[in-house]
Amino acid sequence: MTSIDSAGRDRTEPPKIRFDGIGKVFHGRGRSVTALQDINLDVAAGEFLVLVGPSGCGKSTLLDLLGGLAAPTSGRILVDGVPITGPGLDRGVVFQQYALLPWRTAQGNVEFGLEAKGVPRRERADRAREYLHLVGLSGFHDRYPHELSGGMKQRVAIARSLAFDPDILLMDEPFAALDAQTRDGLQDELLRIWQQTGKTIVFITHGIEEAVYLGQRVAVLTSRPGRLKEIVEIPIAGRTDTEDLRSDPEFTRYRHQIWSLLRDEVSRAQDQELARNRQEASVV
Amino acid sequence: MSSATTSSATIARPAALAANPEAPAPVATPPVVERPAAAARRWGSRAISVFTAVATRLVAIGLLAAGWELFPRLGLADATFLPPLSEVLVAWWQLAASGELTAHLQASLLRSLGGFGLAIVIAIPLGLVIGWYAPIANLLNPLLEVFRNTAALALLPVFVLILGLGETSKVAIILYACSWPILLNTVSGVRTVDPLLIKSARSLGLGPVRLFQKVVLPAAVPTIFTGIRLAGAYSILILIAAEMVGAKAGLGYLINYAQYNFAVPDMYAGIITISAIGLLVNQLLVHLERRFSTWRTQ
Ligand SMILES: Nc1ncnc2c1ncn2[C@@H]1O[C@H](COP(=O)(O)OP(=O)(O)O)[C@@H](O)[C@H]1O
Ligand SMILES: [Mg+2]
């Protein structure tokens, strides 16, 4: 007996990723900050999930936990049913600031992940070329990061994360530092790569339009402490085929829905900030 | 470096990129055909600009040489204390021809390179360890500050007292003076590696050893080289002072001895040699440093 939910997803399939009661508290300088509280969320294999939330609500923290770079204070994260204990090559992380090794060429940077995986030297070079081609950078393999534009650097970073063939791609505001035109182009490329490779993608952004454009589902987090406020399904099919999807009435409706959800959180975050500043001012 | 950056516009761009342009589209290039006269003029003007650049640098040196030659000859300076440059060069040639200069040079270079080389071998690994282990760095930092701010030459008498007047104390004081810039730069090179690079490497599952080998060390190389270049300059500076105390050979000894015996042209010959060596060593190290840090060009 299978149960099919409203979005047509088979819920009896075990989730690729399961956040199970995740909480994270930072201790430092005499006070503690609760960054995340009681996050429960499943991500299906091959899903494109987008996380949005006001700045400082714990999005990056959540991704660090999923990447195994930090441990949760409470709860656990399961990948394929197995709890995460540290970083692993089943998950690839793409950072906003590219994180390329400046002394290595584009090719060398893509090979870096393959070295970590222990791929033999000759195969590394071939695979690096292949993935640079996938992200549209054939012919740029011998460029150093300082010789590449921001968008090209992020392409290299994406190629690096794809090359060692992780099941899951974690992306923390990867296009936030890029200009609008470059961003639009890379969004389409990412969708193409996703469709082509079938990766599970968890994508963080603070851009509402980006969230609706990319995500099959958009998870909205509350302001600090970050909790799951709502998950919005975006059942738009054939995104890259639709011309000017962004001005489609359906698209606009979803954008408005997420905008409304976020507006309350952003103003709440600002109130909190003001209250805290006032409190600190009165203590001094 | 800029030539490498701009050249990207001339390379055929892959289709995927052309579909969503992000690098500025190449500006319509002017027709490639160029009339020979124009090309020759262009070439001529480049030759002139190179020539001017070299000439500008030589002008000051030339003026100094001319002044050195003329002032004593015109009686504007006492020729006993400042003989004309030509006399100094003659003295230099005689010293070189007799083999005396080579002997002094050899003694000096052995001490300098000995101390400098040992400093590299000792200070880089030490600095890597100190930089990598934050608790050690925090513990040693005040100590490093104290020693760093104590002029090495102030300690020369201590070295002589403990190690005697022989080679050991000379090499030791050079080793000591050269170690600080290398050590401090290595420590700071390791400690200032971009944390995002470390985070990213950790996310790839790199253990501490490989993280150090593949990320921290290469990132620190340019900073370490800056330290090595500084140490190179120190090794010459300290050498001369050390050789003025109880040495029987070396350029510092030559200068001091010549002054003592009133062989003034010989004294200047020694000084010229030292400054030439300093210049050479520095140029060499600057060149090496640049080679190892091209990627830092932003
Ligand atoms: N290492 C840390 N130590 C202390 N506080 C932290 C640390 N990392 C993040 N925080 C705090 O946790 C909250 C969430 O941060 P982050 O996950 O970076 O937010 P976001 O990515 O959503 O903007 C912020 O208030 C931040 O100050
Ligand atoms: Mg963030």
Side-chain angles (χ1 to χ4, degrees):
Chain A
M1 177 74 203
T2 54
S3 65
I4 309 287
D5 70 5
S6 58
R9 201 172 291 107
D10 184 349
R11 285 300 187 195
T12 52
E13 282 270 306
K16 187 73 191 170
I17 306 166
R18 167 164 283 177
F19 295 94
D20 185 9
I22 288 296
K24 179 71 180 176
V25 181
F26 289 109
H27 301 278
R29 278 191 278 133
R31 67 173 179 197
S32 55
V33 175
T34 306
L36 292 168
Q37 203 173 59
D38 197 32
I39 304 271
N40 290 292
L41 176 66
D42 283 1
V43 184
E47 182 177 357
F48 200 131
L49 178 89
V50 176
L51 279 170
V52 292
S55 161
C57 77
K59 302 184 292 294
S60 297
T61 305
L62 194 64
L63 214 71
D64 279 356
L65 298 178
L66 186 48
L69 295 165
T73 314
S74 59
R76 57 191 192 145
I77 302 175
L78 308 174
V79 170
D80 289 326
V82 182
I84 287 177
T85 51
L89 289 165
D90 55 339
R91 288 150 283 150
V93 189
V94 177
F95 299 95
Q96 183 186 332
Q97 295 301 334
Y98 326 123
L100 299 179
L101 303 174
W103 56 88
R104 286 191 179 213
T105 58
Q107 166 114 12
N109 268 287
V110 177
E111 286 185 15
F112 185 48
L114 299 170
E115 287 165 30
K117 197 175 180 174
V119 175
R121 182 184 300 270
R122 191 128 36 83
E123 200 185 326
R124 283 203 297 258
D126 289 346
R127 261 221 255 173
R129 297 279 174 118
E130 182 189 326
Y131 279 91
L132 282 172
H133 178 73
L134 179 70
V135 298
L137 282 183
S138 329
F140 287 81
H141 58 275
D142 58 350
R143 298 305 169 86
Y144 285 88
H146 73 264
E147 297 171 330
L148 298 172
S149 71
M152 290 159 107
K153 281 186 232 183
Q154 197 56 286
R155 285 165 190 265
V156 176
I158 292 171
R160 176 174 66 188
S161 291
L162 289 171
F164 57 84
D165 200 24
D167 290 342
I168 302 169
L169 205 54
L170 309 174
M171 309 182 85
D172 192 352
E173 309 202 19
F175 307 148
L178 307 175
D179 62 82
Q181 212 190 350
T182 306
R183 183 160 57 231
D184 288 356
L186 278 174
Q187 285 169 359
D188 284 340
E189 290 243 356
L190 183 61
L191 284 176
R192 178 181 62 78
I193 289 169
W194 170 61
Q195 279 154 1
Q196 206 172 320
T197 59
K199 304 284 177 202
T200 308
I201 299 184
V202 178
F203 187 105
I204 288 178
T205 181
H206 60 249
I208 297 165
E209 195 157 297
E210 185 167 70
V212 177
Y213 193 75
L214 292 175
Q216 290 181 301
R217 287 194 301 159
V218 176
V220 183
L221 296 182
T222 65
S223 61
R224 217 175 59 210
R227 276 161 296 144
L228 211 53
K229 186 182 171 86
E230 195 159 325
I231 298 177
V232 182
E233 306 259 356
I234 318 277
I236 302 178
R239 286 173 160 86
T240 43
D241 304 333
T242 316
E243 198 157 307
D244 198 13
L245 177 67
R246 291 178 179 83
S247 42
D248 190 87
E250 206 187 351
F251 185 94
T252 316
R253 195 162 50 75
Y254 285 120
R255 190 178 56 191
H256 180 74
Q257 185 184 355
I258 291 168
W259 179 82
S260 317
L261 287 168
L262 268 177
R263 183 192 45 193
D264 305 342
E265 291 310 319
V266 170
S267 59
R268 221 162 60 83
Q270 280 166 353
D271 291 348
Q272 277 179 358
E273 191 79 20
L274 280 176
R276 197 165 42 244
N277 285 347
R278 227 174 275 131
Q279 201 180 3
E280 270 164 21
S282 65
V283 169
V284 172
Chain B
M1 274 305 98
S2 67
S3 65
T5 319
T6 46
S7 70
S8 70
T10 60
I11 290 202
R13 296 193 295 160
L17 262 182
N20 41 75
E22 47 185 278
V27 184
T29 36
V32 198
V33 206
E34 200 171 26
R35 266 165 299 144
R41 218 181 308 128
R42 173 104 58 82
W43 194 88
S45 72
R46 186 172 310 155
I48 288 175
S49 79
V50 168
F51 177 78
T52 339
V54 173
T56 321
R57 286 186 200 178
L58 286 181
V59 155
I61 302 277
L63 280 177
L64 176 70
W68 191 346
E69 184 64 31
L70 290 176
F71 275 44
R73 291 213 183 277
L74 297 174
L76 293 169
D78 189 339
T80 336
F81 300 126
L82 185 69
L85 180 59
S86 52
E87 277 178 36
V88 173
L89 291 177
V90 168
W92 187 88
W93 184 249
Q94 280 165 354
L95 279 173
S98 71
E100 206 178 326
L101 191 65
T102 324
H104 289 304
L105 196 62
Q106 195 181 343
S108 287
L109 285 183
L110 276 179
R111 289 169 187 146
S112 233
L113 289 178
F116 180 51
L118 281 174
I120 290 178
V121 172
I122 294 170
I124 291 181
L126 201 62
L128 293 177
V129 171
I130 296 176
W132 186 235
Y133 296 101
I136 301 187
N138 294 334
L139 185 76
L140 291 183
N141 205 34
L143 209 60
L144 296 186
E145 283 298 317
V146 169
F147 278 105
R148 187 237 303 250
N149 289 304
T150 306
L153 278 180
L155 291 173
L156 184 55
V158 180
F159 276 78
V160 171
L161 194 67
I162 296 172
L163 298 171
L165 279 171
E167 291 304 302
T168 320
S169 71
K170 291 178 178 55
V171 174
I173 187 86
I174 294 168
L175 161 64
Y176 175 86
C178 289
S179 293
W180 294 108
I182 299 177
L183 185 72
L184 293 166
N185 272 278
T186 306
V187 171
S188 107
V190 171
R191 301 211 76 186
T192 54
V193 177
D194 182 356
L196 183 64
L197 290 185
I198 293 179
K199 190 172 171 181
S200 153
R202 280 218 302 130
S203 83
L204 292 171
L206 260 70
V209 175
R210 294 221 285 166
L211 181 67
F212 187 81
Q213 173 202 348
K214 297 211 176 227
V215 179
V216 176
L217 201 53
V221 162
T223 321
I224 295 175
F225 253 92
T226 306
I228 291 181
R229 180 170 51 78
L230 286 172
Y234 285 10
S235 76
I236 306 284
L237 233 66
I238 301 294
L239 165 81
I240 299 306
E243 284 180 343
M244 289 183 173
V245 184
K248 290 185 205 73
L251 291 168
Y253 164 79
L254 169 69
I255 294 166
N256 212 26
Y257 177 82
Q259 188 255 8
Y260 191 74
N261 289 304
F262 228 73
V264 178
D266 284 4
M267 178 185 84
Y268 284 111
I271 294 173
I272 287 181
T273 311
I274 266 301
S275 93
I277 288 177
L279 212 62
L280 210 68
V281 167
N282 195 52
Q283 281 305 107
L284 194 75
L285 291 173
V286 165
H287 183 75
L288 269 180
E289 186 185 4
R290 222 174 269 155
R291 260 205 56 167
F292 277 94
S293 46
T294 38
W295 55 265
R296 272 223 288 217
T297 327
Q298 201 55 50

